[in-house]
Amino acid sequence: MKKLIKYINTNVLFKVAHLNSATIATKILAGILTSKAIAIFIGVEGMALIGNLRNFLSAIQSFAILGFYNGFVKTVAKCKDDALELSKTISTTYYLGFFSTILMSFLCYYNAELINDFLFSENYNYAYVIRVLALALPFYALNMFCFGIMNGFSNFKMLLIINIIGQILGLAVTLYLIYIDNIDGALVAAVIAPSLLFLITLVGIINRRNLMTHIKISHVSLNVLRTFAPYAIMALVTAIALPLTSILIRNFIIEELGIKQAGYWEAMNRISDYYLMFIMSILTLYIIPRLSEIDSKKEFRKEVFSFYKSVMPIFGFGLLLIYLLRPFVVSLIFSEEFQPVEQLFLWQLLGDFIKVLAIVIAYQFLAKKMFAQFIIIEIFLVIMLYLTSVYLIEIFGIEGAVMGHFFSYLMHFLIVLLVFSNSLFGVITDEHS
C-alpha cells in the first residue's frame, strides 16, 4: 500500500487526481440520475431495451475507431517531439479511422431495420434510432481522435474538464429527452450523448490547430499500423465480444422469461458498473503502468499480492455494505417496481469481486504484450459467460444470469492463475520473468 501511495504521489496524474475523482463522481451521479429517470418515466421494459442499445452502441463505437485509442495515445506520447513520426501516427489513425467510421455509419444506416429486429425484436420499430446513431458516429470518432492527441500530449487536466462538462451536458440532454418523449427520448439520448462531447472538445483543441497540418494521406504508414495492430485487436476483442454477448444473453432472457426479467438484469448491471468505476480507476492509475515497469517474477508477485492485501479487503467491505443496503440502493437508483433486483445482488457482487481479482493479474497480458494469450482467454470468457448464463437461466430463472456471471469469471480467474502460476507461486530461481 505504501508503494501505491508513493507512486501516485510522485506520478504526474496526482496533479489532477482531484479532477479524476470528480470525473468518476460525475459519471456515477449522471448514471444514477439517468437510471432514476428511466425507472420513473419508462419502467422495467424500457430498461431492457435501452440496455441492448447501450451494448450495441459500445461495440459499434469500438469498431468505428478500430480499437486504436490506446495504441494511438502511447505512440503520440512517444513521438510528440518528432514531427515526421507524429505526422505518420496522426495521419494513419485519422484516415483509417475515417474510412472505418464511414463504413460502419453506412452499414448501420442502410441496415437499420435488421439491427432493430436484432436489438428490439420485430415488436418494436426503432430503426430511426439506429439511423440517428449512424449520423452521430463520425462525431464520436472525431472526439476520440482529439482525445487521443490531448492524452498523448499529457493534457490530462483539459481532458478531465471536458469529460466533466460532457457528462453534465449529456445528462441534461438525456433527462430532457426522457421527460418529453419517454422511451424514444431515452434511446435517442443514448446514441447522441457521446457525440455531443465533440462540441466541447473543439474548444480544447483550438490551441492545437497546427496539428491538423500533420494530417497527410501520403504519411499513412504501415509501420504505424503494425505498431497499433496488437493493441487494436485486444481492444476490439474485449470491446465487441462482451457487449454482443450481453445482448445475446438479454435476448435469451426476453424470449424465455419476458422483457421485465431482462429489465431487472439490466438494472443490476448498471449498479455493478457504478461501483466498478472506482476500483477500475485505481487499476488504470497504478497497476498497468507499474506492471509495465517491472521485469522480474519477484516484483510481479509482490505487486499482485500487495494489491490483494491492501485494496481488495476495502473493495470487499464496500461490496458487503452494498449487499446489506441493497433495498435502499435499489429504491435510491430506481423505483419500487425494481424491487426484484434485490435477489440478484449476491451472485453479481461475488462475480465482480472475482472479476477484479482476475483483472489485477490479467493486466500482465497487456503490460508484457502477451497478445495471443489475452485474446484466447477473452474469447473463452465470453463463450463461457454465454453458455453458463443460458444453462443456469433455464434452471434458476433470472438469478441464473448472475450465477453465470459468477461462474464464468471464476473460471477466468482460475485460468489466469494457471497461466501465471509459476510467477505467482513457483520457486523463483532467477530475477527475470
Side-chain angles (χ1 to χ4, degrees):
M1 190 65 180
K2 289 181 180 179
K3 186 181 284 290
L4 170 60
I5 295 171
K6 181 181 178 183
Y7 184 89
I8 294 174
N9 283 336
T10 56
N11 192 281
V12 65
L13 290 178
F14 179 72
K15 298 175 183 178
V16 290
H18 62 291
L19 278 173
N20 189 48
S21 299
T23 302
I24 295 169
T26 305
K27 282 184 179 180
I28 293 172
L29 181 60
I32 290 173
L33 291 174
T34 300
S35 296
K36 191 73 173 180
I38 292 171
I40 293 172
F41 291 99
I42 301 171
V44 179
E45 293 89 343
M47 187 71 72
L49 298 178
I50 294 167
N52 263 7
L53 181 63
R54 286 174 69 227
N55 288 142
F56 179 74
L57 179 63
S58 174
I60 289 299
Q61 287 173 338
S62 299
F63 203 94
I65 60 174
L66 295 172
F68 278 177
Y69 187 77
N70 289 333
F72 180 50
V73 171
K74 287 176 181 289
T75 310
V76 168
K78 189 185 297 183
C79 67
K80 59 187 176 184
D81 297 320
D82 185 329
L84 179 59
E85 286 302 311
L86 181 62
S87 178
K88 288 180 179 178
T89 300
I90 292 177
S91 299
T92 302
T93 305
Y94 177 82
Y95 282 107
L96 289 177
F98 173 81
F99 287 120
S100 65
T101 300
I102 296 301
L103 175 63
M104 293 310 301
S105 291
F106 269 97
L107 289 174
C108 287
Y109 192 90
Y110 290 106
N111 293 281
E113 286 81 8
L114 287 174
I115 296 171
N116 173 81
D117 293 347
F118 172 61
L119 296 179
F120 309 118
S121 83
E122 296 177 358
N123 299 324
Y124 301 92
N125 184 17
Y126 295 117
Y128 78 94
V129 175
I130 306 302
R131 293 193 177 96
V132 173
L133 185 161
L135 297 174
L137 195 58
F139 296 100
Y140 168 82
L142 278 172
N143 185 67
M144 294 306 293
F145 176 71
C146 297
F147 263 33
I149 293 174
M150 285 190 285
N151 205 340
F153 276 87
S154 302
N155 198 350
F156 303 120
K157 187 174 182 179
M158 179 62 72
L159 272 173
L160 293 170
I161 291 172
I162 289 173
N163 265 313
I164 292 171
I165 296 173
Q167 288 295 324
I168 295 171
L169 175 64
L171 173 64
V173 169
T174 300
L175 294 180
Y176 175 73
L177 290 177
I178 290 175
Y179 178 73
I180 65 169
D181 213 5
N182 292 341
I183 180 66
D184 292 74
L187 292 172
V188 171
V191 299
I192 67 170
S195 302
L196 290 176
L197 199 58
F198 179 63
L199 300 176
I200 305 166
T201 306
L202 278 175
V203 179
I205 63 168
I206 202 73
N207 295 325
R208 293 199 175 275
R209 291 191 302 272
N210 60 313
L211 284 175
M212 298 303 104
T213 62
H214 288 277
I215 301 176
K216 301 175 181 178
I217 196 165
S218 59
H219 283 180
V220 173
S221 168
L222 285 176
N223 287 332
V224 172
L225 182 58
R226 277 193 285 267
T227 301
F228 286 175
Y231 296 102
I233 293 171
M234 287 195 298
L236 286 173
V237 168
T238 302
I240 294 176
L242 281 173
L244 290 182
T245 302
S246 294
I247 292 173
L248 292 174
I249 293 172
R250 195 178 290 105
N251 285 347
F252 181 80
I253 294 172
I254 293 172
E255 291 174 10
E256 293 294 313
L257 307 176
I259 194 168
K260 276 201 168 187
Q261 298 298 315
Y264 298 142
W265 184 62
E266 171 61 19
M268 186 67 251
N269 285 333
R270 281 176 173 254
I271 295 171
S272 173
D273 289 341
Y274 300 149
Y275 60 70
L276 282 176
M277 282 185 196
F278 284 108
I279 192 72
M280 295 308 294
S281 67
I282 296 174
L283 292 173
T284 303
L285 178 68
Y286 177 71
I287 288 294
I288 295 180
R290 179 63 188 136
L291 292 182
S292 298
E293 290 175 358
I294 63 179
D295 61 356
S296 71
K297 293 179 181 178
K298 183 178 180 181
E299 283 297 307
F300 172 63
R301 181 185 298 185
K302 182 179 177 183
E303 288 300 328
V304 170
F305 288 117
S306 174
F307 192 89
Y308 282 176
K309 288 187 290 185
S310 58
V311 178
M312 292 309 294
I314 299 172
F315 180 57
F317 180 71
L319 294 182
L320 178 61
L321 279 180
I322 291 172
Y323 178 75
L324 295 175
L325 297 172
R326 62 193 184 281
F328 171 75
V329 171
V330 171
S331 61
L332 173 69
I333 300 177
F334 304 107
S335 64
E336 291 303 315
E337 186 184 7
F338 287 79
Q339 186 271 334
V341 175
E342 293 176 28
Q343 67 178 307
L344 306 180
F345 272 71
L346 178 61
W347 292 104
Q348 182 71 40
L349 297 177
L350 289 173
D352 286 337
F353 187 80
I354 297 294
K355 178 180 179 177
V356 174
L357 287 177
I359 288 175
V360 172
I361 303 173
Y363 273 146
Q364 183 75 336
F365 290 126
L366 305 180
K368 301 308 175 188
K369 300 181 180 179
M370 301 168 67
F371 303 125
Q373 295 94 322
F374 175 85
I375 291 169
I376 292 170
I377 291 175
E378 281 294 303
I379 292 173
F380 171 82
L381 170 63
V382 295
I383 291 173
M384 292 311 301
L385 185 58
Y386 178 75
L387 293 178
T388 55
S389 296
V390 166
Y391 176 73
L392 292 168
I393 287 168
E394 290 179 337
I395 300 173
F396 298 101
I398 188 59
E399 196 172 359
V402 284
M403 293 170 71
H405 169 77
F406 169 76
F407 286 115
S408 58
Y409 275 101
L410 178 60
M411 285 185 279
H412 178 246
F413 180 46
L414 294 175
I415 290 172
V416 170
L417 281 179
L418 183 63
V419 172
F420 293 105
S421 59
N422 188 41
S423 297
L424 292 171
F425 308 111
V427 176
I428 299 176
T429 56
D430 58 81
E431 279 296 300
H432 297 280
S433 54

